[in-house]
Amino acid sequence: MTISARSTRPVIRMNDTAESQPTSITAGVLSYLVPGLGQIFQGRVLKGVMFLVILLGLFTVGHAMGNGQNVYLPPPEGQPTNVAGALYNSVYQRLPFAGQFWIGIAAWPAILQFFDVPVENAYPPLKTYMRAPRTREEEERVNDFIRNSDKMPDLGLIYTIIAGVLNILVIYDAYAGPAFLPPKKKEAPAV
């Protein structure tokens, strides 16, 4: 059997007429809000739905493994004078949220709970969903849950962080667009 110099596999030829894909900030923002939405916006529906199901599924499973208590921002200590500084300090105190934040809207309830101002005789709009423990009893209840369970809450925390960090790649994919554009159809010469 002889091997010829020519390969039988298909070759994608790049020519000078190929246009580069313009970047899409809109698609990147949409993929931040909901993983895969930017790809769906660009017409890459199967890829977008795959990202949506896998990443939101991973985040939801991780959140459920932590009994809904592993995605939150601790409240600011004292009376913050600078909102941005208080938010920075809370993220610094709870670094996992820096990864969880990138999953998009799914992590926004934690931000809304962070800015919650207690009102007499009223519940916060989200009640205790993604809210940091505010009292000593709540903190003890969370600590007891983590202490008395197996490693499920810790693994759930890792799942939520991984989902957020992977969505950064999905955002970039939506922003940069597909690697190859379909070839343009040549116009018929005028007769």
Side-chain angles (χ1 to χ4, degrees):
M1 178 173 173
T2 60
I3 299 176
S4 71
R6 295 193 176 257
S7 173
T8 58
R9 59 184 186 168
V11 176
I12 299 174
R13 297 191 188 276
M14 300 298 289
N15 55 23
D16 294 336
T17 61
E19 294 182 20
S20 64
Q21 170 74 19
T23 57
S24 175
I25 293 174
T26 304
V29 169
L30 287 173
S31 276
Y32 164 70
L33 295 175
V34 178
L37 193 58
Q39 284 79 2
I40 294 170
F41 173 74
Q42 291 173 330
R44 301 183 289 160
V45 177
L46 186 62
K47 189 176 197 177
V49 169
M50 179 189 71
F51 286 149
L52 179 102
V53 169
I54 291 173
L55 292 182
L56 286 181
L58 183 65
F59 185 82
T60 303
V61 166
H63 193 53
M65 288 170 71
N67 201 26
Q69 300 168 348
N70 55 6
V71 180
Y72 65 86
L73 272 172
E77 296 175 2
Q79 289 293 342
T81 57
N82 180 357
V83 174
L87 189 59
Y88 173 79
N89 287 336
S90 290
V91 171
Y92 184 74
Q93 288 175 10
R94 181 146 171 82
L95 284 176
F97 191 76
Q100 295 165 338
F101 167 80
W102 292 103
I103 199 65
I105 289 178
W108 284 9
I111 297 171
L112 293 175
Q113 292 284 18
F114 173 80
F115 289 112
D116 180 51
V117 177
V119 179
E120 288 185 31
N121 301 325
Y123 290 104
L126 300 170
K127 298 194 179 180
T128 60
Y129 182 69
M130 288 193 190
R131 189 183 81 186
R134 304 263 168 105
T135 64
R136 188 74 175 147
E137 293 81 27
E138 287 180 2
E139 195 170 333
E140 283 299 319
R141 186 176 46 80
V142 171
N143 288 338
D144 286 342
F145 168 73
I146 293 171
R147 198 177 309 117
N148 296 332
S149 64
D150 53 4
K151 297 295 180 187
M152 293 288 274
D154 297 331
L155 188 59
L157 176 68
I158 299 301
Y159 281 5
T160 59
I161 295 169
I162 288 173
V165 172
L166 284 177
N167 198 40
I168 294 172
L169 298 175
V170 173
I171 293 167
Y172 178 74
D173 177 69
Y175 170 74
F180 297 103
L181 293 176
K184 286 189 168 185
K185 295 181 180 179
K186 293 183 181 179
E187 294 180 20
V191 180

